[in-house]
Amino acid sequence: MDEKARARYEARARIIKAMAHPTRLLFVDELAKGERCVCELNEMVHADVSTISKHLAVLKNAGIVQDEKRGSRVFYSLVAPCVLNFFSCVEGVLEAQAKERAELVS
Amino acid sequence: MDEKARARYEARARIIKAMAHPTRLLFVDELAKGERCVCELNEMVHADVSTISKHLAVLKNAGIVQDEKRGSRVFYSLVAPCVLNFFSCVEGVLEAQAKERAELVS
DNA sequence: TGGTTATTTGGCAAAATAGCCAAGCGATTA
DNA sequence: TAATCGCTTGGCTATTTTGCCAAATAACCA
C-alpha cells in the first residue's frame, strides 16, 4: 500500500472514530431531529458540560455537525446526515450477534 | 436517558469502534473483494503479523468478519457487507471538508 | 457595573488502544 | 521425529481517549 492510500484510510478512520462513542452517537441521533443547544444535549446525559462540549468538538472537527452561536447559546446541527445510515447497519450486526448467541444456548 | 438506551448506544459504539482504524478499514475494503488469508492481508501492511491478527480479532469480535481455518491457513471473510456503505458517507464528508478548506484559502 | 447563564479551554489522572516481541500451538514438510 | 509455516496469545510500553475540575470568555440581566 502506498503512502497516498494509507493517508486516505487514515482520513476515513478519523471520521469514523468521531462516531465511535456512545454519547456522540446519541447526540447524532438527537440532532437528526433538528438543531439543539448544548444545554439541551447536556440534559440528556449524566456528564459534565465540559465533557459534552468536548464530544461536540470532536463531531464538529470531523465535519459531522456544525455549530452556530445565537445569543448566549450555541446550537449544533447535523451537516452529514448520511452518518445516520450507520445505525441500520450496526443494528443488523447486533441482531445477528444476538441470534448467534441464542443458538449457542439452545 | 435510561439504562437500556445507554446500553444500546454502547453496543452500537462497540461495532463502529471496530471500524475506526485505518488498517481495519483497509482489511474490510479488501475482504469486500473476497476471502483472504492472514498472510495475504499481512502483505498489504507494514506491521507485525501479531498486530494484523489482533486487528482481525477486533473485527471478528464485532461481528463484521468471520474466520475459517483450512489447512494451515485462516481465511477471513466479510459477514456484514453493509459496513461498506460507511465509505461513501465518509468520502462525502471528506470532500466537503476539502472544499471548505479550499474556500478558506481563496 | 456586578452577577448570572451558557459554553469552551487547559490541565490532569484514569482507562482504553496500538504495536512490538517472545512464546505457544496446530498443520505441513523434510 | 524434527524443523518449518501460519497464526494467535501474553505481556509490555507508548500513545490516545475520556472525563472531571477549575478557570476563562461571552452574552444577558439586575
Side-chain angles (χ1 to χ4, degrees), chain B residues 68-99:
Chain B
E68 187 192 338
K69 182 154 191 169
R70 289 207 300 276
S72 66
R73 295 186 182 180
V74 177
F75 291 88
Y76 281 83
S77 56
L78 205 53
V79 285
C82 62
V83 295
L84 295 171
N85 298 334
F86 288 22
F87 287 110
S88 59
C89 174
V90 164
E91 219 56 49
V93 173
L94 287 171
E95 271 174 44
Q97 280 185 328
K99 206 169 173 181

PDB file of all heavy atoms in Angstrom, chain B residues 68-99:
ATOM      1  N   GLU B  68     -12.223 -18.868   9.061  1.00  0.00           N
ATOM      2  CA  GLU B  68     -12.376 -20.303   8.826  1.00  0.00           C
ATOM      3  C   GLU B  68     -10.995 -20.876   8.581  1.00  0.00           C
ATOM      4  O   GLU B  68     -10.268 -20.421   7.695  1.00  0.00           O
ATOM      5  CB  GLU B  68     -13.266 -20.527   7.592  1.00  0.00           C
ATOM      6  CG  GLU B  68     -13.613 -21.989   7.385  1.00  0.00           C
ATOM      7  CD  GLU B  68     -14.243 -22.217   6.009  1.00  0.00           C
ATOM      8  OE1 GLU B  68     -14.775 -21.268   5.420  1.00  0.00           O
ATOM      9  OE2 GLU B  68     -14.165 -23.364   5.530  1.00  0.00           O
ATOM     10  N   LYS B  69     -10.656 -21.858   9.353  1.00  0.00           N
ATOM     11  CA  LYS B  69      -9.332 -22.468   9.196  1.00  0.00           C
ATOM     12  C   LYS B  69      -9.403 -23.563   8.143  1.00  0.00           C
ATOM     13  O   LYS B  69     -10.258 -24.449   8.209  1.00  0.00           O
ATOM     14  CB  LYS B  69      -8.853 -23.041  10.525  1.00  0.00           C
ATOM     15  CG  LYS B  69      -7.466 -23.647  10.447  1.00  0.00           C
ATOM     16  CD  LYS B  69      -6.740 -23.651  11.777  1.00  0.00           C
ATOM     17  CE  LYS B  69      -5.290 -24.018  11.582  1.00  0.00           C
ATOM     18  NZ  LYS B  69      -4.482 -23.789  12.798  1.00  0.00           N
ATOM     19  N   ARG B  70      -8.510 -23.483   7.172  1.00  0.00           N
ATOM     20  CA  ARG B  70      -8.423 -24.544   6.159  1.00  0.00           C
ATOM     21  C   ARG B  70      -6.958 -24.876   5.996  1.00  0.00           C
ATOM     22  O   ARG B  70      -6.185 -24.046   5.521  1.00  0.00           O
ATOM     23  CB  ARG B  70      -9.014 -24.073   4.828  1.00  0.00           C
ATOM     24  CG  ARG B  70     -10.538 -23.931   4.865  1.00  0.00           C
ATOM     25  CD  ARG B  70     -11.162 -24.123   3.484  1.00  0.00           C
ATOM     26  NE  ARG B  70     -10.696 -23.171   2.500  1.00  0.00           N
ATOM     27  CZ  ARG B  70     -11.189 -21.940   2.327  1.00  0.00           C
ATOM     28  NH1 ARG B  70     -12.165 -21.507   3.103  1.00  0.00           N
ATOM     29  NH2 ARG B  70     -10.703 -21.161   1.404  1.00  0.00           N
ATOM     30  N   GLY B  71      -6.622 -26.068   6.392  1.00  0.00           N
ATOM     31  CA  GLY B  71      -5.213 -26.441   6.379  1.00  0.00           C
ATOM     32  C   GLY B  71      -4.482 -25.629   7.413  1.00  0.00           C
ATOM     33  O   GLY B  71      -4.969 -25.443   8.520  1.00  0.00           O
ATOM     34  N   SER B  72      -3.360 -25.092   6.998  1.00  0.00           N
ATOM     35  CA  SER B  72      -2.574 -24.329   7.963  1.00  0.00           C
ATOM     36  C   SER B  72      -2.932 -22.846   7.931  1.00  0.00           C
ATOM     37  O   SER B  72      -2.410 -22.064   8.703  1.00  0.00           O
ATOM     38  CB  SER B  72      -1.091 -24.518   7.687  1.00  0.00           C
ATOM     39  OG  SER B  72      -0.770 -23.931   6.443  1.00  0.00           O
ATOM     40  N   ARG B  73      -3.857 -22.483   7.048  1.00  0.00           N
ATOM     41  CA  ARG B  73      -4.197 -21.072   6.905  1.00  0.00           C
ATOM     42  C   ARG B  73      -5.558 -20.751   7.503  1.00  0.00           C
ATOM     43  O   ARG B  73      -6.427 -21.615   7.597  1.00  0.00           O
ATOM     44  CB  ARG B  73      -4.208 -20.684   5.426  1.00  0.00           C
ATOM     45  CG  ARG B  73      -2.849 -20.775   4.800  1.00  0.00           C
ATOM     46  CD  ARG B  73      -2.891 -20.237   3.388  1.00  0.00           C
ATOM     47  NE  ARG B  73      -1.590 -20.351   2.742  1.00  0.00           N
ATOM     48  CZ  ARG B  73      -1.353 -19.944   1.502  1.00  0.00           C
ATOM     49  NH1 ARG B  73      -2.327 -19.421   0.784  1.00  0.00           N
ATOM     50  NH2 ARG B  73      -0.151 -20.070   0.984  1.00  0.00           N
ATOM     51  N   VAL B  74      -5.718 -19.469   7.855  1.00  0.00           N
ATOM     52  CA  VAL B  74      -7.011 -18.993   8.339  1.00  0.00           C
ATOM     53  C   VAL B  74      -7.524 -17.961   7.347  1.00  0.00           C
ATOM     54  O   VAL B  74      -6.834 -16.988   7.047  1.00  0.00           O
ATOM     55  CB  VAL B  74      -6.885 -18.368   9.740  1.00  0.00           C
ATOM     56  CG1 VAL B  74      -8.232 -17.820  10.185  1.00  0.00           C
ATOM     57  CG2 VAL B  74      -6.364 -19.395  10.733  1.00  0.00           C
ATOM     58  N   PHE B  75      -8.716 -18.211   6.834  1.00  0.00           N
ATOM     59  CA  PHE B  75      -9.305 -17.292   5.870  1.00  0.00           C
ATOM     60  C   PHE B  75     -10.366 -16.425   6.533  1.00  0.00           C
ATOM     61  O   PHE B  75     -11.243 -16.941   7.244  1.00  0.00           O
ATOM     62  CB  PHE B  75      -9.921 -18.063   4.692  1.00  0.00           C
ATOM     63  CG  PHE B  75      -8.887 -18.708   3.828  1.00  0.00           C
ATOM     64  CD1 PHE B  75      -8.410 -19.988   4.120  1.00  0.00           C
ATOM     65  CD2 PHE B  75      -8.371 -18.030   2.731  1.00  0.00           C
ATOM     66  CE1 PHE B  75      -7.439 -20.575   3.329  1.00  0.00           C
ATOM     67  CE2 PHE B  75      -7.408 -18.624   1.931  1.00  0.00           C
ATOM     68  CZ  PHE B  75      -6.938 -19.893   2.231  1.00  0.00           C
ATOM     69  N   TYR B  76     -10.291 -15.146   6.267  1.00  0.00           N
ATOM     70  CA  TYR B  76     -11.293 -14.214   6.794  1.00  0.00           C
ATOM     71  C   TYR B  76     -12.209 -13.771   5.668  1.00  0.00           C
ATOM     72  O   TYR B  76     -11.772 -13.616   4.526  1.00  0.00           O
ATOM     73  CB  TYR B  76     -10.613 -13.000   7.424  1.00  0.00           C
ATOM     74  CG  TYR B  76     -10.081 -13.284   8.810  1.00  0.00           C
ATOM     75  CD1 TYR B  76      -8.841 -13.884   8.993  1.00  0.00           C
ATOM     76  CD2 TYR B  76     -10.837 -12.976   9.945  1.00  0.00           C
ATOM     77  CE1 TYR B  76      -8.355 -14.154  10.268  1.00  0.00           C
ATOM     78  CE2 TYR B  76     -10.361 -13.246  11.213  1.00  0.00           C
ATOM     79  CZ  TYR B  76      -9.120 -13.838  11.373  1.00  0.00           C
ATOM     80  OH  TYR B  76      -8.655 -14.115  12.630  1.00  0.00           O
ATOM     81  N   SER B  77     -13.486 -13.564   6.019  1.00  0.00           N
ATOM     82  CA  SER B  77     -14.432 -13.042   5.029  1.00  0.00           C
ATOM     83  C   SER B  77     -15.428 -12.111   5.708  1.00  0.00           C
ATOM     84  O   SER B  77     -15.643 -12.171   6.916  1.00  0.00           O
ATOM     85  CB  SER B  77     -15.159 -14.196   4.341  1.00  0.00           C
ATOM     86  OG  SER B  77     -15.802 -15.006   5.304  1.00  0.00           O
ATOM     87  N   LEU B  78     -16.029 -11.257   4.905  1.00  0.00           N
ATOM     88  CA  LEU B  78     -16.942 -10.222   5.386  1.00  0.00           C
ATOM     89  C   LEU B  78     -18.320 -10.828   5.644  1.00  0.00           C
ATOM     90  O   LEU B  78     -18.902 -11.451   4.761  1.00  0.00           O
ATOM     91  CB  LEU B  78     -17.032  -9.137   4.309  1.00  0.00           C
ATOM     92  CG  LEU B  78     -17.408  -7.715   4.699  1.00  0.00           C
ATOM     93  CD1 LEU B  78     -16.505  -7.209   5.797  1.00  0.00           C
ATOM     94  CD2 LEU B  78     -17.302  -6.832   3.476  1.00  0.00           C
ATOM     95  N   VAL B  79     -18.834 -10.656   6.853  1.00  0.00           N
ATOM     96  CA  VAL B  79     -20.204 -11.135   7.095  1.00  0.00           C
ATOM     97  C   VAL B  79     -21.201  -9.991   7.216  1.00  0.00           C
ATOM     98  O   VAL B  79     -22.399 -10.210   7.232  1.00  0.00           O
ATOM     99  CB  VAL B  79     -20.305 -12.013   8.368  1.00  0.00           C
ATOM    100  CG1 VAL B  79     -19.736 -13.377   8.118  1.00  0.00           C
ATOM    101  CG2 VAL B  79     -19.668 -11.353   9.569  1.00  0.00           C
ATOM    102  N   ALA B  80     -20.693  -8.769   7.320  1.00  0.00           N
ATOM    103  CA  ALA B  80     -21.591  -7.601   7.393  1.00  0.00           C
ATOM    104  C   ALA B  80     -21.191  -6.593   6.320  1.00  0.00           C
ATOM    105  O   ALA B  80     -20.639  -5.540   6.609  1.00  0.00           O
ATOM    106  CB  ALA B  80     -21.527  -6.970   8.781  1.00  0.00           C
ATOM    107  N   PRO B  81     -21.528  -6.920   5.066  1.00  0.00           N
ATOM    108  CA  PRO B  81     -21.082  -6.072   3.954  1.00  0.00           C
ATOM    109  C   PRO B  81     -21.669  -4.666   4.019  1.00  0.00           C
ATOM    110  O   PRO B  81     -21.190  -3.773   3.334  1.00  0.00           O
ATOM    111  CB  PRO B  81     -21.609  -6.809   2.712  1.00  0.00           C
ATOM    112  CG  PRO B  81     -21.985  -8.182   3.184  1.00  0.00           C
ATOM    113  CD  PRO B  81     -22.353  -8.043   4.607  1.00  0.00           C
ATOM    114  N   CYS B  82     -22.679  -4.478   4.851  1.00  0.00           N
ATOM    115  CA  CYS B  82     -23.282  -3.145   4.938  1.00  0.00           C
ATOM    116  C   CYS B  82     -22.297  -2.104   5.442  1.00  0.00           C
ATOM    117  O   CYS B  82     -22.478  -0.903   5.216  1.00  0.00           O
ATOM    118  CB  CYS B  82     -24.537  -3.164   5.807  1.00  0.00           C
ATOM    119  SG  CYS B  82     -24.238  -3.635   7.532  1.00  0.00           S
ATOM    120  N   VAL B  83     -21.241  -2.558   6.123  1.00  0.00           N
ATOM    121  CA  VAL B  83     -20.246  -1.581   6.592  1.00  0.00           C
ATOM    122  C   VAL B  83     -19.559  -0.872   5.417  1.00  0.00           C
ATOM    123  O   VAL B  83     -18.989   0.205   5.593  1.00  0.00           O
ATOM    124  CB  VAL B  83     -19.172  -2.213   7.504  1.00  0.00           C
ATOM    125  CG1 VAL B  83     -19.787  -2.731   8.794  1.00  0.00           C
ATOM    126  CG2 VAL B  83     -18.413  -3.300   6.789  1.00  0.00           C
ATOM    127  N   LEU B  84     -19.647  -1.464   4.255  1.00  0.00           N
ATOM    128  CA  LEU B  84     -19.065  -0.818   3.074  1.00  0.00           C
ATOM    129  C   LEU B  84     -19.771   0.496   2.764  1.00  0.00           C
ATOM    130  O   LEU B  84     -19.192   1.395   2.154  1.00  0.00           O
ATOM    131  CB  LEU B  84     -19.145  -1.762   1.862  1.00  0.00           C
ATOM    132  CG  LEU B  84     -18.298  -3.036   1.987  1.00  0.00           C
ATOM    133  CD1 LEU B  84     -18.607  -3.990   0.860  1.00  0.00           C
ATOM    134  CD2 LEU B  84     -16.812  -2.684   2.005  1.00  0.00           C
ATOM    135  N   ASN B  85     -21.016   0.598   3.208  1.00  0.00           N
ATOM    136  CA  ASN B  85     -21.759   1.844   2.996  1.00  0.00           C
ATOM    137  C   ASN B  85     -21.139   3.013   3.761  1.00  0.00           C
ATOM    138  O   ASN B  85     -21.360   4.171   3.415  1.00  0.00           O
ATOM    139  CB  ASN B  85     -23.212   1.685   3.443  1.00  0.00           C
ATOM    140  CG  ASN B  85     -23.938   0.631   2.636  1.00  0.00           C
ATOM    141  OD1 ASN B  85     -23.559   0.367   1.486  1.00  0.00           O
ATOM    142  ND2 ASN B  85     -24.952   0.026   3.214  1.00  0.00           N
ATOM    143  N   PHE B  86     -20.395   2.693   4.805  1.00  0.00           N
ATOM    144  CA  PHE B  86     -19.740   3.751   5.568  1.00  0.00           C
ATOM    145  C   PHE B  86     -18.843   4.587   4.649  1.00  0.00           C
ATOM    146  O   PHE B  86     -18.749   5.800   4.787  1.00  0.00           O
ATOM    147  CB  PHE B  86     -18.858   3.170   6.684  1.00  0.00           C
ATOM    148  CG  PHE B  86     -19.612   2.566   7.838  1.00  0.00           C
ATOM    149  CD1 PHE B  86     -20.927   2.137   7.694  1.00  0.00           C
ATOM    150  CD2 PHE B  86     -19.013   2.438   9.084  1.00  0.00           C
ATOM    151  CE1 PHE B  86     -21.619   1.578   8.763  1.00  0.00           C
ATOM    152  CE2 PHE B  86     -19.699   1.886  10.157  1.00  0.00           C
ATOM    153  CZ  PHE B  86     -21.005   1.442   9.998  1.00  0.00           C
ATOM    154  N   PHE B  87     -18.205   3.892   3.721  1.00  0.00           N
ATOM    155  CA  PHE B  87     -17.205   4.554   2.896  1.00  0.00           C
ATOM    156  C   PHE B  87     -17.768   5.730   2.094  1.00  0.00           C
ATOM    157  O   PHE B  87     -17.186   6.806   2.081  1.00  0.00           O
ATOM    158  CB  PHE B  87     -16.556   3.548   1.939  1.00  0.00           C
ATOM    159  CG  PHE B  87     -15.612   2.608   2.634  1.00  0.00           C
ATOM    160  CD1 PHE B  87     -15.925   1.261   2.785  1.00  0.00           C
ATOM    161  CD2 PHE B  87     -14.406   3.063   3.136  1.00  0.00           C
ATOM    162  CE1 PHE B  87     -15.055   0.397   3.438  1.00  0.00           C
ATOM    163  CE2 PHE B  87     -13.525   2.201   3.790  1.00  0.00           C
ATOM    164  CZ  PHE B  87     -13.858   0.864   3.939  1.00  0.00           C
ATOM    165  N   SER B  88     -18.909   5.517   1.437  1.00  0.00           N
ATOM    166  CA  SER B  88     -19.435   6.587   0.596  1.00  0.00           C
ATOM    167  C   SER B  88     -19.786   7.801   1.441  1.00  0.00           C
ATOM    168  O   SER B  88     -19.546   8.943   1.050  1.00  0.00           O
ATOM    169  CB  SER B  88     -20.643   6.100  -0.202  1.00  0.00           C
ATOM    170  OG  SER B  88     -21.643   5.647   0.690  1.00  0.00           O
ATOM    171  N   CYS B  89     -20.333   7.555   2.611  1.00  0.00           N
ATOM    172  CA  CYS B  89     -20.672   8.664   3.506  1.00  0.00           C
ATOM    173  C   CYS B  89     -19.420   9.420   3.919  1.00  0.00           C
ATOM    174  O   CYS B  89     -19.338  10.642   3.805  1.00  0.00           O
ATOM    175  CB  CYS B  89     -21.404   8.130   4.733  1.00  0.00           C
ATOM    176  SG  CYS B  89     -21.716   9.387   5.994  1.00  0.00           S
ATOM    177  N   VAL B  90     -18.445   8.659   4.378  1.00  0.00           N
ATOM    178  CA  VAL B  90     -17.200   9.255   4.847  1.00  0.00           C
ATOM    179  C   VAL B  90     -16.508  10.029   3.722  1.00  0.00           C
ATOM    180  O   VAL B  90     -15.968  11.112   3.925  1.00  0.00           O
ATOM    181  CB  VAL B  90     -16.279   8.146   5.400  1.00  0.00           C
ATOM    182  CG1 VAL B  90     -14.857   8.638   5.525  1.00  0.00           C
ATOM    183  CG2 VAL B  90     -16.808   7.658   6.734  1.00  0.00           C
ATOM    184  N   GLU B  91     -16.562   9.459   2.542  1.00  0.00           N
ATOM    185  CA  GLU B  91     -15.951  10.123   1.393  1.00  0.00           C
ATOM    186  C   GLU B  91     -16.612  11.479   1.142  1.00  0.00           C
ATOM    187  O   GLU B  91     -15.934  12.467   0.852  1.00  0.00           O
ATOM    188  CB  GLU B  91     -16.110   9.213   0.165  1.00  0.00           C
ATOM    189  CG  GLU B  91     -14.907   9.184  -0.739  1.00  0.00           C
ATOM    190  CD  GLU B  91     -13.637   8.789  -0.008  1.00  0.00           C
ATOM    191  OE1 GLU B  91     -13.640   7.765   0.725  1.00  0.00           O
ATOM    192  OE2 GLU B  91     -12.648   9.527  -0.134  1.00  0.00           O
ATOM    193  N   GLY B  92     -17.909  11.508   1.271  1.00  0.00           N
ATOM    194  CA  GLY B  92     -18.641  12.758   1.102  1.00  0.00           C
ATOM    195  C   GLY B  92     -18.239  13.804   2.125  1.00  0.00           C
ATOM    196  O   GLY B  92     -18.051  14.986   1.804  1.00  0.00           O
ATOM    197  N   VAL B  93     -18.090  13.366   3.359  1.00  0.00           N
ATOM    198  CA  VAL B  93     -17.689  14.287   4.427  1.00  0.00           C
ATOM    199  C   VAL B  93     -16.296  14.849   4.145  1.00  0.00           C
ATOM    200  O   VAL B  93     -16.052  16.047   4.295  1.00  0.00           O
ATOM    201  CB  VAL B  93     -17.713  13.573   5.799  1.00  0.00           C
ATOM    202  CG1 VAL B  93     -17.138  14.469   6.882  1.00  0.00           C
ATOM    203  CG2 VAL B  93     -19.131  13.153   6.156  1.00  0.00           C
ATOM    204  N   LEU B  94     -15.397  13.968   3.698  1.00  0.00           N
ATOM    205  CA  LEU B  94     -14.030  14.403   3.400  1.00  0.00           C
ATOM    206  C   LEU B  94     -14.001  15.421   2.259  1.00  0.00           C
ATOM    207  O   LEU B  94     -13.271  16.409   2.314  1.00  0.00           O
ATOM    208  CB  LEU B  94     -13.159  13.198   3.046  1.00  0.00           C
ATOM    209  CG  LEU B  94     -12.780  12.300   4.228  1.00  0.00           C
ATOM    210  CD1 LEU B  94     -12.113  11.025   3.749  1.00  0.00           C
ATOM    211  CD2 LEU B  94     -11.881  13.040   5.201  1.00  0.00           C
ATOM    212  N   GLU B  95     -14.821  15.168   1.246  1.00  0.00           N
ATOM    213  CA  GLU B  95     -14.890  16.105   0.123  1.00  0.00           C
ATOM    214  C   GLU B  95     -15.389  17.468   0.577  1.00  0.00           C
ATOM    215  O   GLU B  95     -14.859  18.504   0.185  1.00  0.00           O
ATOM    216  CB  GLU B  95     -15.826  15.559  -0.964  1.00  0.00           C
ATOM    217  CG  GLU B  95     -15.129  14.685  -1.980  1.00  0.00           C
ATOM    218  CD  GLU B  95     -16.134  14.063  -2.933  1.00  0.00           C
ATOM    219  OE1 GLU B  95     -17.049  14.773  -3.396  1.00  0.00           O
ATOM    220  OE2 GLU B  95     -16.024  12.841  -3.206  1.00  0.00           O
ATOM    221  N   ALA B  96     -16.425  17.457   1.390  1.00  0.00           N
ATOM    222  CA  ALA B  96     -16.979  18.709   1.896  1.00  0.00           C
ATOM    223  C   ALA B  96     -15.933  19.481   2.695  1.00  0.00           C
ATOM    224  O   ALA B  96     -15.820  20.701   2.584  1.00  0.00           O
ATOM    225  CB  ALA B  96     -18.206  18.418   2.776  1.00  0.00           C
ATOM    226  N   GLN B  97     -15.143  18.743   3.454  1.00  0.00           N
ATOM    227  CA  GLN B  97     -14.096  19.381   4.244  1.00  0.00           C
ATOM    228  C   GLN B  97     -13.023  19.990   3.343  1.00  0.00           C
ATOM    229  O   GLN B  97     -12.549  21.099   3.579  1.00  0.00           O
ATOM    230  CB  GLN B  97     -13.449  18.362   5.187  1.00  0.00           C
ATOM    231  CG  GLN B  97     -14.257  18.107   6.436  1.00  0.00           C
ATOM    232  CD  GLN B  97     -13.524  17.176   7.388  1.00  0.00           C
ATOM    233  OE1 GLN B  97     -12.772  16.306   6.949  1.00  0.00           O
ATOM    234  NE2 GLN B  97     -13.733  17.366   8.677  1.00  0.00           N
ATOM    235  N   ALA B  98     -12.637  19.231   2.320  1.00  0.00           N
ATOM    236  CA  ALA B  98     -11.619  19.708   1.385  1.00  0.00           C
ATOM    237  C   ALA B  98     -12.103  20.984   0.703  1.00  0.00           C
ATOM    238  O   ALA B  98     -11.350  21.955   0.556  1.00  0.00           O
ATOM    239  CB  ALA B  98     -11.318  18.627   0.349  1.00  0.00           C
ATOM    240  N   LYS B  99     -13.351  20.984   0.314  1.00  0.00           N
ATOM    241  CA  LYS B  99     -13.960  22.129  -0.344  1.00  0.00           C
ATOM    242  C   LYS B  99     -13.929  23.360   0.563  1.00  0.00           C
ATOM    243  O   LYS B  99     -13.559  24.450   0.149  1.00  0.00           O
ATOM    244  CB  LYS B  99     -15.411  21.774  -0.678  1.00  0.00           C
ATOM    245  CG  LYS B  99     -16.005  22.525  -1.849  1.00  0.00           C
ATOM    246  CD  LYS B  99     -17.334  21.884  -2.228  1.00  0.00           C
ATOM    247  CE  LYS B  99     -18.070  22.675  -3.291  1.00  0.00           C
ATOM    248  NZ  LYS B  99     -19.372  22.033  -3.608  1.00  0.00           N
TER     249      LYS B  99
END
